[in-house]
Amino acid sequence: MLLRKMMLVGVCVLLQACTQIDDYMLGKDNTPSPSPLTAINTKLHLKENWSVSISKPSKSNTYLKLKPVIRGNTIYTANASGAIQAVNKESGAVLWSKHIKQGIVSGPTVAEGYIALGTSASSLVLLNQVDGNEIWQHKVSGDALSKPVIVSQKVIAKTLDGNLYGFDLKTGHKLWISEHGAPSLILKASSSPVILGHLALVGFSDGKLDAVDLQSGRVVWQRSIAFA
């Protein structure tokens, strides 16, 4: 009797398996339906105070990390088509708007009364924070996809080909260049330098981390973090 029951159960299991296999072979979806989700009760309701356009979208499909920056009561925005704006945080009023014909690939960095940006023409641009007027622009050896850093009256910028530049903040004079280099095949992405005291800690695409002296551009030490 027990044997018959076991055989009966086995036949039922095989028939069920065959049904699922047939459904799969016929292209039918035999995935079990998920359990219904619990309704979400919203406890916070957001209200839009204002909105403002940051110029026309770029035709390029390049993914860039162009994030708005808030300084005091002003929001600074930039987009890949070259538009940069200063917007009042409370009212949404556009304080000023400028356009850089080369296009923008990194920034904005806002500090010490200035705005630093990297352009699609492999150059670095510095604007006046008050009115957006251009102070200076200098070519660099490659795309400055990483956000520039303003520190100690200097603009520090890293290029995709593995060079680190130090420019005088007010004059744009090139103070030094630290040539690290890059592998022949890399992803088109780049991390920004991190300032620690008198050093700039810079990660490169070959897996190395350099500590560069801000005053001289000399590499103080270097460590291998990962293999390229």
Side-chain angles (χ1 to χ4, degrees):
M1 187 67 177
L2 180 60
L3 182 59
R4 288 183 179 180
K5 289 183 178 180
M6 292 178 64
M7 292 178 63
L8 183 60
V9 170
V11 170
C12 291
V13 170
L14 288 173
L15 289 174
Q16 180 65 26
C18 290
T19 301
Q20 292 182 354
I21 292 173
D22 289 343
D23 289 344
Y24 176 77
M25 296 300 291
L26 293 173
K28 296 180 180 179
D29 185 7
N30 57 6
T31 305
S33 299
S35 302
L37 298 175
T38 304
I40 299 175
N41 297 319
T42 305
K43 297 181 180 180
L44 181 66
H45 297 277
L46 301 179
K47 180 182 178 181
E48 181 181 297
N49 290 329
W50 54 263
S51 64
V52 62
S53 171
I54 57 172
S55 188
K56 297 179 181 179
S58 171
K59 296 180 180 179
S60 171
N61 293 322
T62 304
Y63 172 70
L64 302 171
K65 298 179 180 179
L66 299 174
K67 298 180 180 179
V69 174
I70 299 176
R71 289 292 180 269
N73 201 41
T74 306
I75 303 172
Y76 300 89
T77 66
N79 70 4
S81 64
I84 178 167
Q85 291 185 153
V87 180
N88 184 279
K89 185 175 68 174
E90 301 298 330
S91 65
V94 178
L95 304 177
W96 54 259
S97 178
K98 299 292 180 179
H99 187 270
I100 298 174
K101 63 181 180 180
Q102 297 93 337
I104 299 171
V105 297
S106 64
T109 298
V110 185
E112 301 185 26
Y114 299 92
I115 303 172
L117 304 143
T119 78
S120 58
S122 298
S123 64
L124 197 66
V125 177
L126 193 77
L127 307 180
N128 189 302
Q129 183 179 341
V130 176
D131 53 20
N133 288 333
E134 184 176 309
I135 305 298
W136 53 260
Q137 181 171 172
H138 281 292
K139 291 283 290 184
V140 288
S141 59
D143 289 344
L145 295 182
S146 62
K147 192 174 180 179
V149 176
I150 297 177
V151 60
S152 303
Q153 294 296 304
K154 297 179 182 65
V155 179
I156 310 299
K158 188 183 77 171
T159 56
L160 196 61
D161 57 355
N163 290 331
L164 185 72
Y165 288 83
F167 291 95
D168 183 271
L169 178 62
K170 295 182 179 179
T171 67
H173 174 68
K174 185 174 70 175
L175 301 173
W176 47 260
I177 177 174
S178 178
E179 298 178 339
H180 180 97
S184 57
L185 181 63
I186 59 175
L187 296 176
K188 195 172 184 180
S190 188
S191 60
S192 295
V194 175
I195 306 303
L196 182 63
H198 68 285
L199 298 176
L201 303 181
V202 192
F204 292 95
S205 53
D206 60 358
K208 290 183 173 60
L209 176 70
D210 286 5
V212 180
D213 183 79
L214 289 172
Q215 189 64 30
S216 64
R218 180 177 61 89
V219 178
V220 178
W221 53 259
Q222 183 182 94
R223 297 289 184 275
S224 293
I225 304 300
F227 293 101

